Amino acid sequence: MPQLKESPSQTAGPYVHIGCTPQMAGLEARAMGPQLGERMVLGSPTGDRITLDLHVFDGAGDAVTDALIEIWQPTPQGQFTGDDQFCNWGRQATDLTSGQAVFQTLKPGAPVGQAPHILVWIVARGIGLGLTTRIYFPDEDNADDPVLALAGDRAATLIARKTAGGYAHAVHLQGPSETVFFDV
Amino acid sequence: MDDTPFAPRDFSVHPPPLWPDYRSTHLRAPQQPLLQMPQTQTEMTGPTFGHAALGPLDSDLIVNYAAAGQSAQGPRILVHGKLLDGQGRAVPGKLIEVWQANAGGRYRHVNDGYLAPLDDNFGGCGRCITAPDGSFAFRTVQPGPYPWPNGGNDWRPAHIHFSVFGDGFAQRLITQMYFEGDPHIARCPIAQSIPDAAALDRLVARLDMDRTVAMDIRAYRFDIVLRGRQATVFENKPQGT
Ligand SMILES: [Fe+2]
């Protein structure tokens, strides 16, 4: 079998919204299907509804206002297969002014052999290859998670903060509190 | 689901995080190396999309934003190719999304203030699901090159942005397609951030006269390769024992 090399990655650029979150680009009048990934809670699924409030910061401490964030997570039962009530995948752009990205989702359960977590994938202008990180929860037992353990003394950069309605998390692209990004 | 893990990522084909000639990387490139981790179920799985998620005109950018009876301005092109995995096998049923500037190099975006005018009949967003043989096709207009703020007299080669899903999130890819013969490719710090000239060349679509329709539309061929899986290990059992 021939081995083909992966196509090279290129930055999503500052106009990623046109393709991935079209209404943020002012394309609301377009005659296309619905925006994908906007809603994760589709019906009345079993589980705890949470608001996940994300920010991405650059090396100067400024909020990144042109990032696209995708999340992929298990159901509250720890499964990666959703149904007509819940979609395990969500996609939001950071707000063009504030840099905030808000996901309405369900608190994930623990997949086999891992603590509850959410995969986070970030692309933006200035990012040549999408960055993969994770979010863990401060109110879960993370002691035996094999991935979090690899992060050692930087593990705190992967743990969200509890808020009134769910969790908040800041991703730092560079600097002293730089988030752990994975080579998966 | 295929449980074979993905092969380790070959970073020699991808831009490094920091590329000094591309100014936006300066404050956005992580300074720590990526932390290697074993693949888990989280990275081996990913979302699936059906045709029901798309509208009937999603793959036709010539008309999907146009008024009734109108079409977008610019050279009409058919962009087509195959989505393949690392073993060269077709990857069917995957979502591909594209976005691009119009024929004048202007994006329909609140943050794009370039001099070139918007086209009332062009939005610049397209989507499709790969066919059973891994093929995909978009009808669109050839985008124009455009200037961008990078500290100098920088112009992007004409390009179409591509977002591609695979079987697992470890294969998720965003890239750009360029056009054969564009002199801006050699001058573009974003294209040139790809460390391997042969790898960059695989992002350059070729004029395809076989699919070009006389008196209608020119075709460009662009194949996309997703990260492959680890080679299957066969037990080498002697015959007849
Ligand atoms: Fe672009």
Side-chain angles (χ1 to χ4, degrees), chain B residues 139-151:
Chain B
R139 286 197 343 150
T140 187
V141 293
Q142 191 163 15
Y146 60 83
W148 59 295
N150 190 45

Side-chain angles (χ1 to χ4, degrees), chain A residues 15, chain B residues 107 146 156 159 161 176:
Chain A
Y15 308 124
Chain B
Y107 282 97
Y146 60 83
R156 292 305 323 282
H159 63 277
H161 296 266
Q176 300 181 25

Side-chain angles (χ1 to χ4, degrees), chain B residues 1-225:
Chain B
M1 192 191 93
D2 189 340
D3 289 328
T4 314
F6 297 106
R9 196 159 218 159
D10 179 356
F11 288 94
S12 73
V13 302
H14 295 298
L18 178 65
W19 187 252
D21 289 350
Y22 177 19
R23 208 167 58 170
S24 293
T25 66
H26 295 187
L27 288 171
R28 294 184 170 190
Q31 293 164 321
Q32 303 283 338
L34 298 179
L35 183 62
Q36 279 195 326
M37 61 170 275
Q39 282 160 39
T40 71
Q41 197 185 359
T42 315
E43 297 77 29
M44 301 272 296
T45 55
T48 55
F49 302 90
H51 289 92
L54 307 187
L57 299 177
D58 279 13
S59 66
D60 191 342
L61 290 76
I62 292 178
V63 296
N64 73 15
Y65 196 82
Q70 306 278 304
S71 62
Q73 295 189 28
R76 295 158 58 84
I77 57 170
L78 175 79
V79 174
H80 77 101
K82 279 198 173 184
L83 183 63
L84 303 168
D85 69 10
Q87 280 72 44
R89 295 174 298 212
V91 185
K94 299 298 181 225
L95 176 67
I96 297 183
E97 298 161 297
V98 297
W99 65 101
Q100 64 168 85
N102 68 22
R106 173 79 181 270
Y107 282 97
R108 185 172 289 280
H109 191 283
V110 290
N111 285 345
D112 188 2
Y114 180 38
L115 293 168
L118 288 170
D119 174 353
D120 286 345
N121 291 310
F122 188 72
C125 173
R127 312 186 290 201
C128 75
I129 307 274
T130 58
D133 65 352
S135 65
F136 63 86
F138 295 94
R139 286 197 343 150
T140 187
V141 293
Q142 191 163 15
Y146 60 83
W148 59 295
N150 190 45
N153 186 10
D154 290 290
W155 293 75
R156 292 305 323 282
H159 63 277
I160 299 176
H161 296 266
F162 274 74
S163 161
V164 187
F165 287 80
D167 292 326
F169 231 96
Q171 292 178 299
R172 188 80 177 86
L173 183 70
I174 279 184
T175 188
Q176 300 181 25
M177 184 200 96
Y178 302 106
F179 290 87
E180 181 179 14
D182 189 334
H184 291 292
I185 296 171
R187 295 173 171 86
C188 174
I190 292 176
Q192 295 299 321
S193 69
I194 296 169
D196 174 356
L200 170 58
D201 191 56
R202 291 189 287 116
L203 296 185
V204 180
R206 280 1 193 229
L207 179 66
D208 177 3
M209 288 307 290
D210 289 340
R211 287 287 295 271
T212 290
V213 181
M215 306 307 287
D216 181 353
I217 192 166
R218 291 181 306 140
Y220 276 89
R221 170 89 190 208
F222 179 56
D223 292 339
I224 302 170
V225 182

Side-chain angles (χ1 to χ4, degrees), chain A residues 104-177:
Chain A
Q104 304 293 344
T105 185
L106 299 177
K107 178 97 178 277
V112 175
Q114 304 188 73
H117 66 275
I118 294 176
L119 181 156
V120 179
W121 187 74
I122 300 167
V123 291
R125 170 177 64 86
I127 296 176
L129 176 64
L131 295 169
T132 302
T133 181
R134 283 186 171 198
I135 293 175
Y136 288 85
F137 297 91
D139 46 3
E140 295 285 344
D141 179 4
N142 297 317
D144 294 328
D145 186 86
V147 176
L148 192 59
L150 294 172
D153 60 6
R154 299 175 64 209
T157 70
L158 301 175
I159 299 174
R161 176 169 55 82
K162 188 93 184 76
T163 62
Y167 300 87
H169 188 62
V171 173
H172 295 271
L173 296 178
Q174 62 173 233
S177 46

Side-chain angles (χ1 to χ4, degrees), chain A residues 19 23 29-30 44-45 57 66-67 69 94 102 108 116 123 131 150-151 155 158:
Chain A
Q23 92 274 20
R30 75 212 182 93
S44 305
F57 294 100
D66 53 11
I69 303 176
T94 57
V102 179
V123 291
L131 295 169
L150 294 172
L158 301 175

